[in-house]
Amino acid sequence: MAIRSRKTGKPAPRQMAPQGTLARAPKKAAERGIAAAQKSRTNGRPEPWVGRRYLRKEDPRLIQGISHYADDLRLPGMLHCVFVRSPHAYARIAGIHTGAARSSPGVVAVYTASDTKALGVVPCAGALPDLKIPRHPVLAEGHVRHVGEPVAAVIAEDLYQARDAAEKVQVEYDPLPAVVDPEKALAGTNFVHASVKSNQAFTHQLKNGDVDAAFSRADRVVKARFVNQRLAPVSMETRGVVAQYLPGEKTLTVWSSTQIPHLLKTQVALILGVPETHVRVVTPEVGGGFGSKLNVYREEAVVPFAAMQLGRPVKWSESRRENIAATIHGRDQINYVELALKKNGTILGMRARVISDLGAYHQLLTPIIPTLTALLISGCYKIGALQCDVVGVFTNKMATDAYRGAGRPEATYIIERMVDLAARELNLDPAEIRRRNFPKPREYPFATITGITYDSGNYENAMKKALELAGYSRLRARQKDAWKRGKYYGVGLSTYVEICAMGPSTAMPAGGWESGTVRVEPTGKITVLTGASPHGQGQETTFAQIVADIFGLTPDDVNIVHGDTAAVPYGIGTFGSRATAVGGTAMYIAAQKVKAKMAAIAAHLLGEKAAAMNFSAGRVGTKKKSLGFGEVVGAAYVARNLPPGVEPGLEATHFFEPSNFTFPFGTHVVSCEVDAETGHIRIDKYVAVDDCGNVINPLLVEGQIHGGIVQGVSQALFEEVIYNEDGQLVTGTLMDYSMPKAAQVPEFILERTCTPSPVNPMGVKGVGEAGTIASTPAVVNAVCDALRPLGITHIDMPLKPEKVWRAIQQARAAAAS
Amino acid sequence: MTKDIKIKINGVEHRASVEPRLLLVHFLREVAGLTGTHIGCETSLCGACTVMLEGRAVKSCTVLAVQADGASVTTVEGLAQSGALHPVQEGFWEEHGLQCGYCTPGMIMAAADLLEHSPAAAAGATPGDLEIREGLGGNICRCTGYQNIVAAVRSAARKMNRRKKAVAA
Ligand code: FES
Ligand code: FES
């Protein structure tokens, strides 16, 4: 059958089909046009695939609506679960009456804490010395401590029946005064957990150098208080869990929309008391996570519990209201910061107090997140001395935990805002003060005052490129002109560094390694099993590009399998921009092991040296003598003529333990106009120069940066989870929680510099969070810069028009009086 | 109390006896078994559930199944024609207009509607970026930052115009 290209009508060239591999199955007609587009992007050359804008292998199923997210799963006899949740921030449960619900049509069971109190608790991986970990049961016991806390689970034949019955569960509450303000909570005597007798969950100090001396030597000290507001991650797919128990086989299968299938498997086994050998966790298609699915949630225990009790599959799909109330939140810190400065801008010392609002219960990493703020608080600067005190506070709110950047956006916001305030105080250009405090390229690996070692970097180079691209001096000229005309135009910079590729196990609560298995199948196709658990990042494509290069095949010859604990060796998961740098490296090394074995077999068959074997365009050998890839594979499996000591089969697994994190960096430049009459902010120009080391697929890197920037810009301008003084969640729907829309965000101009990481053989760093980390302070710096003539130094986020307008009015009134 | 209804979905008639309160999105997903239409909020705020009802985009979480009785609906599964992807689908793939893919079916349906009915498209021109951004105002994407979605729609518009011109010539 001849395939014709749509554009030219000529027969479409097929994607490179290396000889020696078996013919691939014909693509669906619908996908052929794209195969041609793919071809034109690759100029028809075979390897290297790495570095190309290769179109994603995931997309055909996603653009046709034929993939399966958790809510799309249907099992015979499946029941539906709906949770009854607390409407109060804090209350004693005086009684729960489930009779009416139980007799409601279609209801099979109603569970409360009296059924689940013997189960294990929701885990917290934090291990700080004075950390208080209050009991976190799977259903509320005795008290509810935040709006949305689950009190009962109703199981019925269909979703509508379960929802009807949930309304009939009567819970008697004795409301208690809620603990809402974290600063007041620290001093107060109204405790979120009576058993802890304090709202202080932990303290943590990071101290290095003579801080007092630095401050006494300082020419100037700049001080500020910042509020880094609470955010909701709002992945477009909410959470969802389906569980099935087979009593004969005693196997429990849990499908969950999670970023950490293996860790979840272990925890489900522990909570339910089921042997881990009989638990399987599968992540179906996952519709975004941003850290919110890097967790173990109550529902992930209750739904399998119900399935085991009832001997029927049970499904729960989180509603958006539940998602905003009972999926973790991010950020929520108050920061008091001081910088000790020399007149020339040198940063002598820094003091910071981080007050972290943890919410009512610890989720998996809740107390760890603000400690990451301390670790990155010196940003990309040489700072002489540092003291950072972190305190975690219980309040009657949902837990905070990892949300895109997880503690690092807070750190970057602190240091990047402070450096801008310092520049203003010392009358220096914001770019110049940064340049003066950067480590020089020869100083890497660079030991920071916070006690970590930056692997590689060239901050000045990235900044220079960004300033050029933005036309910095033209923007400054434009600003002068605007100010003259009574308009407010500002330019903001953020020169960031971040911590990626989490991380060496010594620095991680539950293992910082990752696993990868590479198996060349008898047909010559390659299966990769990775412990990483992508949920939108596109590793089915990028990992295939990497492996295709190693074996001289095409990405279509490689299938990446992830997110099934029955198929994939134990792994950690996808978060902290670790999948490629840690998971990809594990796979890379496993692939090299298999390749070495194939080289030995090929050399044996050809009578050559293994070191001379070259893998390219589907052949293995030297220029003169070679075998088809499939012939070597066949020899490994037929196993009649193997070199001495070589086992049959072609499979290897590697567990990669990185020696350090990686530290991507870059500079974002924003210019904006503030309408003084309305407080409205219009972003005029957004330039981002990012350095994430070597790049596997520029198309996907750009996508990560775009999405990241919008999340960060949106924190600066729009988003905020608000609990009122009674602890009521007033931003509980997408009507009230302000998500960015297409027309509210600008177009971005992206460039890269490339400083490979020495930490892994591919020289990659990670890029999942860079945009979010960099953009927030850049935007706020630009807005505050615009308002300089009014004497405004700082406005807390989100910079909603009303808030900006008020600040302008106040500044004008102050100037007039 | 249930009501007998029939809805033609992607050219195939589906009959069922449904409760009047059943949402169209649940009819599509649970009765017809077409799970490509996603639910992101159930309150008309995210656009994940967008489908074509009688040729115009609607949020299927905001329509009752009984309201669609006798009507014809196109979902993302029915967008590809005679084995070829719709230009908007191609645009999303070629321009990397999706990451997790959850908003994508709704985005694609909204974009297809936009290109069918926007004044610029009707005049044979490519809608400007602002028109595209505003036209997708009912659809939220958390992953892409929208830039590549705009590029995808722009590219689809060009492709559709080229084809229209080719047919006319
Ligand atoms: S699910 Fe219909 S608009 Fe969100
Ligand atoms: S691609 Fe994930 S929400 Fe749009």
Side-chain angles (χ1 to χ4, degrees), chain A residues 472-520:
Chain A
Y472 188 59
S473 45
R474 279 199 305 284
L475 294 178
R476 286 291 177 209
R478 184 166 168 189
Q479 172 175 52
K480 259 205 201 121
D481 181 58
W483 281 347
K484 246 187 253 152
R485 292 184 291 109
K487 299 278 181 210
Y488 298 95
Y489 190 83
V491 187
L493 256 71
S494 156
T495 52
Y496 73 96
V497 58
E498 57 139 336
I499 309 175
C500 278
M502 308 255 162
S505 294
T506 48
M508 299 283 289
W513 49 270
E514 194 51 271
S515 73
T517 298
V518 172
R519 178 166 68 231
V520 182

Side-chain angles (χ1 to χ4, degrees), chain A residues 6-7 28-31 33-35 37-38 41 55-60 62-69 71-74 80 158-161 163-164 232-238 285-288 290 315 320-321 403-404 535-537 699-704 706-708 710-711 714 719 733-735 737 739-750, chain B residues 19 21-31 33-43 45-48 64 75-105 107-108 129-130 132-150 154 159 162-163:
Chain A
R6 284 212 183 131
K7 274 192 197 138
K28 260 184 76 181
E31 294 166 21
I34 304 289
Q38 186 90 275
R41 283 182 185 232
L55 299 183
R56 295 206 318 173
K57 294 176 61 160
E58 293 85 342
D59 290 2
L62 297 172
I63 55 177
Q64 297 181 85
I66 50 177
S67 65
H68 293 91
Y69 299 85
D71 193 32
D72 302 336
L73 302 177
R74 272 139 192 72
H80 295 260
D158 85 28
L159 178 64
Y160 285 63
Q161 290 173 328
R163 283 183 181 172
D164 287 344
V234 191
S235 55
M236 290 320 296
E237 185 214 18
T238 55
E285 202 80 64
V286 175
F290 313 108
K315 179 203 275 188
R320 181 58 65 191
R321 209 171 237 293
Y403 168 55
R404 204 168 194 172
H535 42 282
Q537 295 86 346
L699 192 65
L700 274 59
V701 164
E702 287 160 18
Q704 286 294 316
H706 289 158
V710 167
Q711 272 173 308
S714 188
E719 292 180 43
T733 71
L734 292 184
M735 186 69 103
Y737 187 80
M739 290 283 285
K741 311 275 165 57
Q744 292 174 303
V745 294
E747 173 123 2
F748 313 107
I749 301 163
L750 306 189
Chain B
E19 284 189 67
R21 63 175 175 169
L22 185 75
L23 300 176
L24 177 59
V25 69
H26 285 135
F27 186 93
L28 298 172
R29 293 176 53 83
E30 309 300 328
V31 179
L34 294 166
T35 56
T37 303
H38 298 151
I39 298 173
C41 69
E42 241 186 66
T43 51
L45 293 163
C46 77
L64 297 169
T75 70
V76 70
E77 291 98 329
L79 207 53
Q81 288 296 316
S82 47
L85 290 177
H86 188 282
V88 173
Q89 288 173 309
E90 287 184 347
F92 272 74
W93 193 1
E94 292 175 3
E95 299 297 333
H96 187 32
L98 62 147
Q99 290 178 27
C100 79
Y102 198 78
C103 72
T104 309
M107 279 288 178
I108 286 176
D129 285 4
L130 192 63
I132 295 172
R133 285 181 184 267
E134 279 172 355
L136 297 177
N139 293 66
I140 300 176
C141 173
R142 192 52 146 174
C143 297
T144 62
Y146 300 107
Q147 187 151 324
N148 287 348
I149 289 181
V150 175
R154 208 193 291 132
K159 209 177 266 188
R162 273 202 304 272
R163 283 186 202 165

